[in-house]
Amino acid sequence: MKQERDTVSKRSVIQAAIQLFNTKGFNGTSVRDIAGKAEVNVALISYYFNGKKGLAEFLMTSFLEGYVKEIEAAYQQLDMKSAKTCLIDAIQRVMEYQHQNRQLARFVHREITFDSVLVREIMTTYLSKEKFYFSKIYEVGFARKEFRPQSIDYIIMQMKGMLSMPFLHPQYILEVHHIQPHEHYFIDRYTKQLKEWIELYICETESWGVRPLVMNG
């Protein structure tokens, strides 16, 4: 019974922290704010997470562990599937994972833009793994002549921006484009656009049958 109460309390703290960090920012949120919203004793946050910084670290690493696992699952299929199929699968997995954890995704993507000891550690672990898996998929695609030769670093940087944009800027999507970014149809449509980007800019034209331009006259 006590273990069940502890689990509920810990989950409440996590949800409260995600909401407050997104609305008030990490620096603008106090431990008392989190405890008040979660309806728990302030001491429990120190007990569970060793304070606010420990809580933020838990949120970021938990999210990124799941994020990288989705890419790894697609990468592991390279021996059995085409590089294009694996790349599309990785993108679909990442988009769905972020959609299911969209509030946490927004917090993590925003925090990664700041320079801190924690962010540097994340860069050398989770984000380096992300780059490794995507790089390997691209390298196999180049070797099999599925992808047109180009800089892997620049492809990954461009792709990463597209993968994070809907979750980092939901307010922009809502207020400027009048689209509901939390709706699943939006993620489906956005993911479809990413697939078309792969077809147009990553794949060799011969692999997907581009039609030649016919000049009239």
Side-chain angles (χ1 to χ4, degrees):
M1 191 70 176
K2 181 182 182 301
Q3 185 177 4
E4 184 177 341
R5 285 199 305 270
D6 287 347
T7 300
V8 172
S9 296
K10 188 174 182 179
R11 190 181 301 121
S12 297
V13 169
I14 290 169
Q15 292 303 318
I18 293 171
Q19 292 177 27
L20 289 170
F21 288 160
N22 274 326
T23 55
K24 300 178 68 175
F26 176 77
N27 291 330
T29 301
S30 69
V31 174
R32 290 190 178 277
D33 291 335
I34 298 169
K37 189 170 184 62
E39 298 182 344
V40 300
N41 191 292
V42 173
L44 285 178
I45 297 175
S46 294
Y47 174 72
Y48 290 138
F49 305 104
N50 196 28
K52 190 175 75 167
K53 287 185 178 180
L55 175 53
E57 181 176 355
F58 172 83
L59 293 175
M60 294 178 74
T61 55
S62 296
F63 172 81
L64 289 168
E65 279 179 9
Y67 178 94
V68 171
K69 281 181 181 178
E70 296 297 334
I71 302 171
E72 182 181 15
Y75 160 78
Q76 289 176 339
Q77 302 298 313
L78 267 177
D79 290 338
M80 298 170 284
K81 297 180 180 179
S82 69
K84 173 186 169 182
T85 298
C86 292
L87 180 59
I88 290 174
D89 186 39
I91 286 174
Q92 288 176 318
R93 286 172 174 272
V94 164
M95 293 303 292
E96 182 62 29
Y97 176 78
Q98 291 183 109
H99 178 68
Q100 294 298 325
N101 300 277
R102 50 192 174 274
Q103 287 190 322
L104 181 53
R106 185 183 188 187
F107 166 68
V108 172
H109 287 311
R110 188 171 60 192
E111 287 302 305
I112 286 173
T113 65
F114 300 114
D115 183 20
S116 68
V117 174
L118 174 58
V119 169
R120 287 179 209 152
E121 290 174 354
I122 285 172
M123 293 285 183
T124 58
T125 52
Y126 301 107
L127 298 185
S128 291
K129 285 181 182 178
E130 175 192 31
K131 181 192 171 188
F132 170 81
Y133 291 130
F134 277 128
S135 294
K136 289 299 180 183
I137 293 173
Y138 281 117
E139 286 171 7
V140 171
F142 295 153
R144 295 176 182 171
K145 301 189 183 304
E146 293 180 54
F147 300 156
R148 62 183 67 172
Q150 50 190 303
S151 168
I152 290 178
D153 286 323
Y154 283 91
I155 297 173
I156 292 176
M157 284 189 283
Q158 185 177 5
M159 184 177 67
K160 185 162 180 61
M162 291 189 288
L163 291 175
S164 62
M165 190 277 174
F167 309 100
L168 188 56
H169 302 289
Q171 202 64 25
Y172 164 78
I173 295 170
L174 179 63
E175 298 295 339
V176 176
H177 295 278
H178 309 293
I179 297 173
Q180 300 290 335
H182 63 279
E183 296 288 348
H184 207 285
Y185 84 87
F186 165 73
I187 293 302
D188 290 340
R189 180 74 179 271
Y190 191 88
T191 303
K192 182 180 178 182
Q193 292 290 121
L194 288 175
K195 291 179 189 176
E196 292 179 4
W197 175 79
I198 291 171
E199 295 279 11
L200 288 170
Y201 296 105
I202 305 300
C203 292
E204 283 283 8
T205 54
E206 293 83 357
S207 69
W208 53 277
V210 65
R211 293 182 179 181
L213 180 64
V214 177
M215 301 296 290
N216 293 324

